[in-house]
Amino acid sequence: MPELCLVCWAILLGLAQACPEACDCGEKYGFQIADCAYRDLEAVPLGFPANVTTLSLSANRLPALPEGAFREAPLLQSLWLAHNQIRTVAPGALAPLAHLKSLDLSHNLISDFAWGDLHALHALQLLKMDSNELDFIPQDAFRSLNALRSLQLNHNRLHALAQGTFAPLTALSHLQINDNPFDCTCGILWFKAWTLATSVSIPQRDNIACSSPHVFKGTPLARLPPLPCSVPSVQLSYQPSQDGAELRPGFVLALHCDVQGQPAPQLRWHIQTPRGTVEIASPNVDTDGRALPGALPRFRAFANGSLLIPDFGKPEEGTYSCLATNELGSAESSVNVALATPGEGGEDALGRRFHGKAVEGKGCYTVDNEVQPSGPEDNVVIIYLSRAGNPEATVVKAGGPEQRLPSLLLLGQSLLFLLLLTCACF
């Protein structure tokens, strides 16, 4: 047994004294240091002592940092990787380094960076990523870096920054972000306001300047004039036309989403039916309503915000939502559509729900022909199809009287727009 213990101690001692052949390892000021700088290395070497706390790999020819690159050195507190040729930092390359306090990745070619690895570096105080090819930073990139004091992002290719990017950095005292080609549109205004209000030291402010649009090229961000910007707003609406039309099975359902905002928001539809979920992120038909090449859409989305569903039936019942997004935020409006035949089970729970509220004296009531809400409720439209031989088409307002549904002319076709209930009902 004593012999076995001696063997174990010998192995442990050998591990403690291990060092890659290309590096110099030793102790200095109480830190275990591995110096591998200026060695023309093209990969992170193997064989580091497990207790190494400082590792320098600067001025080599490393092209990338793969997953587990520093698995042998879990106690690292300082990692220096400047002046290499690193283009990619793979997920899992840095995440195991929970004790890391200083990380220098400056003067590389990094365009693909595993931002998620930063979430594990809670002890990090210095992060140098300047002089790279970074063109994007996720909004939550720094969410776990509560101890970070200095951040260097200057001389990259950043065009924009998501609002709140630096909010988690409660200990930050120094930020360098000059010499990036910022796009000075509405989305950058929050950053301008933040730089003017923060107590963080930001050197070379005049070099935090606009690259586009051309009219602002070279203008320091701090002197950017006010811009006409507004968050998106959306409204699902109907537009009545000819009265007296009869609604029969197989009609065309048409919804229109009116979108406002500056810059012009991007519109998309989210449709939830018994058959599943449909997402439409761009128009899938041309201005004449014909499907674009390669598309056979069941739901026809136009560039003007209209949505058409030909031969509307039970399978198309559900929730129709339009969502608008621009640099400043997003907005959404939804309507629930139900199809029923008077006197049949199609009305069921949805119809009885609102008729019952009307009998109880609840729901919507009118004042000067305007529908007034009496409580919170979803927007709901119930469409009544005519019976065979007795055509009749009505829309039931929650708790209100029945009204004959008008037809519409849209894009040269006779279409029906739903009356979207803006009232709220108990």
Coordinates of all heavy atoms in Angstrom, one line a residue, residues 88-148:
T88 N -12.8 31.7 -36.0 CA -14.0 31.1 -35.4 C -13.6 30.6 -33.9 O -12.6 30.1 -33.7 CB -14.4 29.8 -36.2 OG1 -14.7 30.2 -37.5 CG2 -15.6 29.1 -35.5
V89 N -14.5 31.0 -33.0 CA -14.5 30.5 -31.7 C -15.7 29.6 -31.5 O -16.8 30.1 -31.4 CB -14.5 31.6 -30.6 CG1 -14.4 31.0 -29.2 CG2 -13.3 32.5 -30.9
A90 N -15.5 28.3 -31.4 CA -16.6 27.3 -31.4 C -17.3 27.3 -30.1 O -16.6 27.5 -29.0 CB -16.1 25.9 -31.8
P91 N -18.6 26.9 -30.0 CA -19.2 26.7 -28.7 C -18.5 25.6 -27.9 O -18.1 24.6 -28.4 CB -20.6 26.2 -29.2 CG -20.8 26.7 -30.5 CD -19.5 26.7 -31.2
G92 N -18.3 25.9 -26.6 CA -17.6 25.0 -25.8 C -16.1 25.3 -25.7 O -15.4 24.6 -24.9
A93 N -15.6 26.2 -26.5 CA -14.2 26.5 -26.4 C -13.8 27.3 -25.1 O -12.7 27.0 -24.5 CB -13.7 27.4 -27.6
L94 N -14.7 28.2 -24.7 CA -14.4 29.0 -23.5 C -15.3 28.7 -22.3 O -14.9 29.1 -21.2 CB -14.5 30.5 -23.9 CG -13.6 31.0 -25.0 CD1 -14.0 32.4 -25.4 CD2 -12.2 31.0 -24.6
A95 N -16.4 28.1 -22.5 CA -17.4 27.9 -21.5 C -16.8 27.2 -20.2 O -17.3 27.5 -19.1 CB -18.6 27.1 -22.0
P96 N -15.9 26.2 -20.4 CA -15.4 25.5 -19.1 C -14.6 26.4 -18.2 O -14.2 26.0 -17.1 CB -14.6 24.4 -19.7 CG -15.0 24.2 -21.1 CD -15.4 25.6 -21.6
L97 N -14.2 27.6 -18.7 CA -13.2 28.4 -17.9 C -14.0 29.3 -16.9 O -14.0 30.5 -17.0 CB -12.4 29.3 -18.8 CG -11.6 28.5 -19.9 CD1 -10.8 29.4 -20.8 CD2 -10.7 27.4 -19.3
A98 N -14.6 28.7 -15.9 CA -15.4 29.4 -15.0 C -14.7 30.4 -14.1 O -15.3 31.3 -13.5 CB -16.2 28.4 -14.1
H99 N -13.3 30.2 -14.0 CA -12.5 31.1 -13.1 C -11.9 32.3 -13.9 O -11.2 33.1 -13.3 CB -11.4 30.3 -12.4 CG -12.0 29.2 -11.6 ND1 -12.5 29.4 -10.3 CD2 -12.1 27.9 -11.8 CE1 -12.9 28.2 -9.8 NE2 -12.7 27.3 -10.7
L100 N -12.1 32.3 -15.2 CA -11.4 33.3 -16.0 C -11.8 34.7 -15.7 O -13.0 35.1 -15.6 CB -11.8 33.0 -17.5 CG -10.9 33.6 -18.5 CD1 -9.5 33.1 -18.4 CD2 -11.4 33.4 -19.9
K101 N -10.8 35.6 -15.5 CA -11.0 37.0 -15.1 C -10.6 37.9 -16.3 O -11.1 39.0 -16.4 CB -10.2 37.4 -13.9 CG -10.7 36.6 -12.6 CD -9.8 37.1 -11.4 CE -10.3 36.4 -10.1 NZ -9.5 36.8 -8.9
S102 N -9.6 37.5 -17.1 CA -9.1 38.3 -18.2 C -9.0 37.5 -19.5 O -8.5 36.4 -19.5 CB -7.7 38.9 -17.9 OG -7.7 39.7 -16.7
L103 N -9.6 38.0 -20.5 CA -9.6 37.3 -21.8 C -9.3 38.3 -22.9 O -10.0 39.3 -23.1 CB -11.0 36.7 -22.1 CG -11.2 36.1 -23.5 CD1 -10.2 34.9 -23.7 CD2 -12.7 35.6 -23.6
D104 N -8.2 38.1 -23.6 CA -7.8 39.0 -24.7 C -7.9 38.2 -26.0 O -7.1 37.3 -26.3 CB -6.4 39.4 -24.5 CG -5.9 40.5 -25.5 OD1 -6.7 40.8 -26.4 OD2 -4.8 41.0 -25.4
L105 N -8.8 38.6 -26.9 CA -9.0 38.0 -28.2 C -8.7 39.1 -29.3 O -9.2 38.9 -30.5 CB -10.4 37.4 -28.4 CG -10.7 36.1 -27.6 CD1 -12.2 35.9 -27.5 CD2 -10.0 34.9 -28.3
S106 N -8.1 40.1 -29.0 CA -8.0 41.3 -29.9 C -7.0 40.9 -31.0 O -6.2 40.0 -31.0 CB -7.4 42.5 -29.1 OG -6.1 42.3 -28.6
H107 N -7.1 41.7 -32.1 CA -6.3 41.6 -33.3 C -6.3 40.2 -33.9 O -5.2 39.6 -34.0 CB -4.8 42.1 -32.9 CG -4.7 43.5 -32.5 ND1 -4.7 44.6 -33.4 CD2 -4.8 44.1 -31.2 CE1 -4.6 45.7 -32.7 NE2 -4.7 45.4 -31.4
N108 N -7.5 39.8 -34.1 CA -7.7 38.5 -34.9 C -8.6 38.8 -36.0 O -8.7 39.9 -36.5 CB -8.2 37.4 -33.9 CG -7.2 36.8 -33.1 OD1 -6.4 36.0 -33.6 ND2 -7.1 37.1 -31.8
L109 N -9.2 37.7 -36.5 CA -10.1 37.8 -37.7 C -11.5 37.3 -37.3 O -12.2 36.8 -38.2 CB -9.5 37.1 -38.9 CG -8.2 37.5 -39.4 CD1 -7.6 36.5 -40.4 CD2 -8.2 38.9 -40.0
I110 N -11.9 37.4 -36.0 CA -13.1 36.7 -35.6 C -14.3 37.3 -36.1 O -14.6 38.5 -36.0 CB -13.1 36.7 -34.0 CG1 -11.9 36.1 -33.4 CG2 -14.4 36.1 -33.5 CD1 -11.8 36.2 -31.9
S111 N -15.1 36.4 -36.8 CA -16.4 36.8 -37.3 C -17.5 35.8 -36.8 O -18.7 36.2 -36.8 CB -16.4 36.8 -38.8 OG -16.1 35.5 -39.4
D112 N -17.0 34.7 -36.4 CA -18.0 33.6 -35.9 C -17.6 33.4 -34.4 O -16.6 32.7 -34.1 CB -17.9 32.4 -36.7 CG -18.9 31.3 -36.3 OD1 -19.7 31.6 -35.4 OD2 -18.8 30.2 -36.8
F113 N -18.4 33.9 -33.5 CA -18.0 33.8 -32.1 C -19.1 33.2 -31.3 O -20.3 33.5 -31.5 CB -17.7 35.2 -31.5 CG -17.3 35.2 -30.0 CD1 -16.0 34.7 -29.7 CD2 -18.1 35.5 -29.0 CE1 -15.6 34.7 -28.4 CE2 -17.7 35.5 -27.7 CZ -16.5 35.1 -27.4
A114 N -18.8 32.2 -30.4 CA -19.8 31.5 -29.6 C -20.2 32.4 -28.4 O -19.6 32.3 -27.3 CB -19.2 30.2 -29.1
W115 N -21.1 33.4 -28.6 CA -21.5 34.3 -27.6 C -22.1 33.6 -26.4 O -21.9 34.1 -25.2 CB -22.5 35.3 -28.1 CG -21.9 36.2 -29.2 CD1 -22.0 36.1 -30.6 CD2 -21.1 37.4 -29.0 NE1 -21.4 37.1 -31.2 CE2 -20.8 37.9 -30.3 CE3 -20.6 38.0 -27.8 CZ2 -20.0 39.0 -30.4 CZ3 -19.8 39.1 -28.0 CH2 -19.5 39.6 -29.3
G116 N -22.7 32.5 -26.6 CA -23.3 31.8 -25.4 C -22.2 31.3 -24.4 O -22.6 31.2 -23.2
D117 N -21.0 31.1 -24.8 CA -19.9 30.7 -23.9 C -19.7 31.8 -22.8 O -19.3 31.5 -21.7 CB -18.6 30.4 -24.6 CG -18.6 29.0 -25.1 OD1 -19.7 28.4 -25.4 OD2 -17.5 28.5 -25.4
L118 N -19.9 33.1 -23.2 CA -19.7 34.1 -22.2 C -20.7 34.0 -21.0 O -20.4 34.5 -19.9 CB -19.9 35.5 -22.8 CG -18.9 35.9 -23.9 CD1 -19.2 37.3 -24.4 CD2 -17.5 35.8 -23.4
H119 N -21.8 33.3 -21.2 CA -22.8 33.2 -20.1 C -22.2 32.4 -18.9 O -22.7 32.5 -17.8 CB -24.1 32.5 -20.6 CG -24.8 33.3 -21.7 ND1 -25.7 32.7 -22.5 CD2 -24.6 34.6 -22.1 CE1 -26.1 33.6 -23.4 NE2 -25.5 34.7 -23.2
A120 N -21.2 31.6 -19.2 CA -20.6 30.8 -18.1 C -19.4 31.5 -17.4 O -18.9 31.0 -16.4 CB -20.1 29.5 -18.7
L121 N -19.0 32.7 -17.9 CA -17.8 33.3 -17.4 C -18.2 34.4 -16.4 O -17.9 35.6 -16.6 CB -17.0 33.9 -18.6 CG -16.6 32.9 -19.7 CD1 -15.7 33.6 -20.7 CD2 -16.0 31.7 -19.1
H122 N -18.8 34.0 -15.3 CA -19.3 35.0 -14.3 C -18.2 35.8 -13.7 O -18.5 36.9 -13.1 CB -20.1 34.2 -13.2 CG -21.2 33.4 -13.8 ND1 -22.4 34.0 -14.0 CD2 -21.3 32.1 -14.1 CE1 -23.3 33.1 -14.5 NE2 -22.6 31.9 -14.5
A123 N -16.9 35.3 -13.6 CA -15.9 36.0 -13.0 C -15.1 37.0 -13.9 O -14.3 37.8 -13.4 CB -14.9 35.0 -12.4
L124 N -15.5 37.1 -15.1 CA -14.7 37.9 -16.1 C -14.8 39.3 -15.8 O -15.8 39.9 -15.5 CB -15.3 37.6 -17.5 CG -14.4 38.0 -18.7 CD1 -13.1 37.2 -18.7 CD2 -15.2 37.9 -20.0
Q125 N -13.6 40.0 -15.8 CA -13.5 41.4 -15.5 C -12.9 42.2 -16.7 O -13.3 43.4 -16.8 CB -12.5 41.6 -14.3 CG -13.0 41.0 -13.0 CD -12.1 41.2 -11.8 OE1 -11.2 42.0 -11.9 NE2 -12.3 40.4 -10.8
L126 N -12.2 41.6 -17.6 CA -11.6 42.3 -18.7 C -11.9 41.4 -20.0 O -11.6 40.2 -20.0 CB -10.1 42.4 -18.6 CG -9.3 42.9 -19.8 CD1 -9.7 44.3 -20.2 CD2 -7.8 42.8 -19.6
L127 N -12.5 42.1 -21.0 CA -12.8 41.4 -22.2 C -12.3 42.3 -23.4 O -12.9 43.3 -23.6 CB -14.3 41.1 -22.4 CG -14.7 40.4 -23.7 CD1 -14.0 39.1 -23.9 CD2 -16.2 40.2 -23.6
K128 N -11.3 41.8 -24.1 CA -10.8 42.6 -25.2 C -11.1 41.8 -26.5 O -10.6 40.7 -26.8 CB -9.2 42.7 -25.1 CG -8.8 43.5 -23.8 CD -7.3 43.6 -23.7 CE -6.7 44.5 -24.9 NZ -5.3 44.7 -24.7
M129 N -12.0 42.4 -27.3 CA -12.4 41.8 -28.6 C -12.2 42.8 -29.7 O -12.8 42.7 -30.8 CB -13.8 41.3 -28.5 CG -14.1 40.3 -27.4 SD -15.7 39.6 -27.5 CE -15.6 38.5 -28.9
D130 N -11.4 43.8 -29.5 CA -11.2 44.8 -30.5 C -10.4 44.3 -31.7 O -9.7 43.3 -31.6 CB -10.4 46.1 -29.9 CG -9.1 45.7 -29.2 OD1 -9.2 45.1 -28.1 OD2 -8.1 46.0 -29.8
S131 N -10.5 45.0 -32.8 CA -9.7 44.7 -34.0 C -10.0 43.3 -34.5 O -9.1 42.5 -34.7 CB -8.2 44.9 -33.8 OG -7.9 46.2 -33.4
N132 N -11.3 43.0 -34.7 CA -11.8 41.8 -35.3 C -12.7 42.0 -36.4 O -12.8 43.2 -37.0 CB -12.4 40.9 -34.2 CG -11.3 40.1 -33.4 OD1 -10.8 39.1 -33.9 ND2 -11.1 40.5 -32.2
E133 N -13.5 41.0 -36.8 CA -14.5 41.2 -37.9 C -15.9 41.0 -37.4 O -16.8 40.6 -38.2 CB -14.2 40.1 -39.0 CG -12.8 40.2 -39.6 CD -12.6 41.4 -40.4 OE1 -13.5 41.9 -41.1 OE2 -11.4 42.0 -40.4
L134 N -16.2 41.3 -36.2 CA -17.5 41.1 -35.6 C -18.5 42.1 -36.2 O -18.2 43.3 -36.2 CB -17.4 41.3 -34.0 CG -16.5 40.4 -33.3 CD1 -16.4 40.8 -31.8 CD2 -17.1 38.9 -33.3
D135 N -19.6 41.6 -36.6 CA -20.6 42.5 -37.2 C -22.0 42.4 -36.5 O -23.0 43.0 -36.9 CB -20.8 42.2 -38.7 CG -21.3 40.8 -39.0 OD1 -21.6 40.0 -38.0 OD2 -21.4 40.4 -40.2
F136 N -22.0 41.6 -35.4 CA -23.3 41.4 -34.7 C -23.0 41.0 -33.2 O -22.1 40.2 -33.0 CB -24.1 40.3 -35.4 CG -25.3 39.8 -34.6 CD1 -26.4 40.7 -34.5 CD2 -25.4 38.6 -34.0 CE1 -27.5 40.3 -33.8 CE2 -26.5 38.2 -33.2 CZ -27.6 39.1 -33.2
I137 N -23.8 41.5 -32.3 CA -23.7 41.1 -30.9 C -25.1 40.8 -30.4 O -26.0 41.7 -30.5 CB -23.1 42.2 -30.0 CG1 -21.7 42.5 -30.5 CG2 -23.1 41.8 -28.6 CD1 -21.0 43.7 -29.7
P138 N -25.4 39.6 -30.0 CA -26.8 39.3 -29.5 C -27.1 40.2 -28.3 O -26.2 40.6 -27.5 CB -26.7 37.8 -29.1 CG -25.5 37.3 -29.8 CD -24.5 38.4 -30.0
Q139 N -28.4 40.5 -28.2 CA -28.8 41.3 -27.1 C -28.4 40.8 -25.7 O -28.1 41.5 -24.8 CB -30.3 41.6 -27.2 CG -30.9 42.5 -26.1 CD -32.4 42.7 -26.2 OE1 -33.1 41.9 -26.7 NE2 -32.9 43.9 -25.8
D140 N -28.4 39.5 -25.6 CA -28.1 38.9 -24.3 C -26.7 38.4 -24.1 O -26.4 37.6 -23.2 CB -29.1 37.7 -24.0 CG -28.9 36.5 -25.0 OD1 -28.2 36.7 -26.0 OD2 -29.3 35.4 -24.7
A141 N -25.8 38.9 -25.0 CA -24.4 38.4 -25.0 C -23.7 38.5 -23.7 O -23.0 37.7 -23.2 CB -23.6 39.1 -26.1
F142 N -24.0 39.7 -23.0 CA -23.3 40.0 -21.7 C -24.2 39.8 -20.5 O -23.8 40.4 -19.4 CB -22.8 41.5 -21.8 CG -22.0 41.8 -23.1 CD1 -22.4 42.8 -23.9 CD2 -21.0 41.0 -23.4 CE1 -21.7 43.2 -25.0 CE2 -20.2 41.3 -24.6 CZ -20.6 42.4 -25.4
R143 N -25.2 39.0 -20.6 CA -26.2 38.9 -19.5 C -25.6 38.4 -18.2 O -26.1 38.8 -17.1 CB -27.3 38.1 -19.9 CG -27.0 36.6 -20.0 CD -28.2 35.8 -20.5 NE -27.9 34.3 -20.4 CZ -28.7 33.4 -20.9 NH1 -29.7 33.8 -21.6 NH2 -28.4 32.1 -20.8
S144 N -24.5 37.6 -18.2 CA -24.0 37.1 -17.0 C -22.7 37.7 -16.5 O -22.1 37.3 -15.5 CB -23.7 35.6 -17.2 OG -24.9 34.9 -17.6
L145 N -22.3 38.8 -17.2 CA -21.0 39.4 -16.9 C -21.1 40.5 -15.9 O -20.8 41.7 -16.2 CB -20.3 39.9 -18.2 CG -20.1 38.8 -19.3 CD1 -19.3 39.4 -20.5 CD2 -19.4 37.6 -18.7
N146 N -21.6 40.2 -14.8 CA -21.9 41.3 -13.7 C -20.6 41.8 -13.2 O -20.6 42.9 -12.5 CB -22.7 40.7 -12.6 CG -24.1 40.2 -13.1 OD1 -24.7 40.8 -14.0 ND2 -24.6 39.1 -12.5
A147 N -19.5 41.1 -13.3 CA -18.2 41.6 -12.8 C -17.3 42.3 -13.8 O -16.3 42.8 -13.4 CB -17.4 40.4 -12.2
L148 N -17.8 42.4 -15.0 CA -17.0 42.9 -16.1 C -16.8 44.4 -15.9 O -17.7 45.2 -15.7 CB -17.6 42.7 -17.5 CG -16.7 43.0 -18.7 CD1 -15.6 41.9 -18.8 CD2 -17.5 43.0 -20.0

